Amino acid sequence: AQSVSQHNHHVILSEAASLELGCNYSYGGTVNLFWYVQYPGQHLQLLLKYFSGDPLVKGIKGFEAEFIKSKFSFNLRKPSVQWSDTAEYFCAVNAVSAGNKLTFGGGTRVLVKP
Amino acid sequence: DAMVIQNPRYQVTQFGKPVTLSCSQTLNHNVMYWYQQKSSQAPKLLFHYYDKDFNNEADTPDNFQSRRPNTSFCFLDIRSPGLGDAAMYLCATSTRTGVETQYFGPGTRLLVL
């Protein structure tokens, strides 16, 4: 079945460490890719998105993601995390082949230790 | 500030007792979505409205219904809640389907006793 996979369910790291969260999808054809973040007690917010053009996308709060079409991946990165980056991160894919609906990965809970 | 508002934030209901969750938006978006998110799982789309056109997902149980009386409001009705329906229910909006960013409300956490 077509899906969106996030490799890590939980990540624990210290402040100033680098973060990379994996996301792979299995849809063919045209896709639009998103990373959403959910801080504790808050609603889902858009971090960044890719529709076309430069495959390296920069988002808010120092996050970036790289679309690698050949690998069906859209990994999220941040060079140096802060305690305030503690949150749950969701990758989401909108695919024309899937009826243009947004399909979420299972999420990755990130805990940044001060 | 323009936003997506969900009320109530927490809802407790009894097994089999109908319950309605509400969502309103000040963004004037055409599309409103309802998602179900169970603990430690991804949000799962239940249905969406594009203006007044209702689009149900194939695997959404018949127990779940929705109404959109106007652009600003959308309701999720659960006719006979079961224990398995306990979850966070998220409302989202977008200007149109497909490529557009979705804006999410804070969610309503439903507890079924």
Side-chain angles (χ1 to χ4, degrees), chain A residues 40-86:
Chain A
Q42 296 189 27
H43 59 279
L44 279 164
Q45 303 170 46
L46 182 70
L47 260 184
L48 48 78
K49 61 187 178 184
Y50 172 81
F51 291 165
S52 63
D54 188 344
L56 185 61
V57 180
K58 294 195 184 299
I60 60 171
K61 305 189 180 187
F63 285 90
E64 65 179 29
E66 185 175 13
F67 172 49
I68 303 179
K69 189 174 182 179
S70 60
K71 294 185 178 180
F72 296 86
S73 71
F74 190 55
N75 292 352
L76 180 71
R77 297 193 291 254
K78 185 169 182 177
S80 177
V81 294
Q82 301 173 313
W83 174 79
S84 58
D85 293 321
T86 293

Side-chain angles (χ1 to χ4, degrees), chain B residues 42-80:
Chain B
K44 177 178 176 299
L45 182 64
L46 295 172
F47 27 59
H48 74 273
Y49 271 96
Y50 193 127
D51 293 329
K52 293 188 177 185
D53 292 332
F54 178 69
N55 297 272
N56 198 28
E57 291 301 302
D59 56 355
T60 298
D62 292 339
N63 199 23
F64 291 85
Q65 305 283 322
S66 186
R67 296 170 284 134
R68 189 179 185 186
N70 53 52
T71 300
S72 301
F73 286 86
C74 194
F75 300 98
L76 169 61
D77 300 309
I78 308 176
R79 291 191 299 187
S80 183

Side-chain angles (χ1 to χ4, degrees), chain B residues 11-108:
Chain B
Q11 177 74 57
V12 181
T13 190
Q14 293 178 333
F15 182 93
K17 184 175 181 181
V19 65
T20 295
L21 309 181
S22 73
C23 176
S24 63
Q25 54 130 341
T26 60
L27 298 161
N28 204 32
H29 282 170
N30 298 105
V31 192
M32 295 187 77
Y33 307 81
W34 278 104
Y35 290 85
Q36 180 192 64
Q37 185 181 20
K38 295 190 176 180
S39 182
S40 302
Q41 295 184 23
K44 177 178 176 299
L45 182 64
L46 295 172
F47 27 59
H48 74 273
Y49 271 96
Y50 193 127
D51 293 329
K52 293 188 177 185
D53 292 332
F54 178 69
N55 297 272
N56 198 28
E57 291 301 302
D59 56 355
T60 298
D62 292 339
N63 199 23
F64 291 85
Q65 305 283 322
S66 186
R67 296 170 284 134
R68 189 179 185 186
N70 53 52
T71 300
S72 301
F73 286 86
C74 194
F75 300 98
L76 169 61
D77 300 309
I78 308 176
R79 291 191 299 187
S80 183
L83 298 178
D85 297 327
M88 177 73 86
Y89 290 88
L90 303 173
C91 176
T93 73
S94 67
T95 54
R96 57 188 174 100
T97 58
V99 302
E100 297 299 321
T101 300
Q102 293 185 22
Y103 295 84
F104 285 82
T108 295

Side-chain angles (χ1 to χ4, degrees), chain A:
Chain A
Q2 295 177 322
S3 65
V4 181
S5 300
Q6 292 182 239
H7 313 304
N8 306 101
H9 295 295
H10 295 89
V11 171
I12 301 174
L13 60 168
S14 300
E15 277 193 312
S18 65
L19 174 69
E20 180 159 0
L21 302 181
C23 174
N24 285 89
Y25 60 92
S26 61
Y27 300 96
T30 301
V31 292
N32 302 295
L33 303 158
F34 304 80
W35 275 97
Y36 281 86
V37 61
Q38 191 167 26
Y39 298 105
Q42 296 189 27
H43 59 279
L44 279 164
Q45 303 170 46
L46 182 70
L47 260 184
L48 48 78
K49 61 187 178 184
Y50 172 81
F51 291 165
S52 63
D54 188 344
L56 185 61
V57 180
K58 294 195 184 299
I60 60 171
K61 305 189 180 187
F63 285 90
E64 65 179 29
E66 185 175 13
F67 172 49
I68 303 179
K69 189 174 182 179
S70 60
K71 294 185 178 180
F72 296 86
S73 71
F74 190 55
N75 292 352
L76 180 71
R77 297 193 291 254
K78 185 169 182 177
S80 177
V81 294
Q82 301 173 313
W83 174 79
S84 58
D85 293 321
T86 293
E88 188 157 17
Y89 294 81
F90 291 93
C91 178
V93 176
N94 169 280
V96 173
S97 63
N100 269 331
K101 75 176 186 183
L102 196 61
T103 301
F104 285 85
T108 299
R109 286 184 186 270
V110 174
L111 173 63
V112 180
K113 297 183 294 182

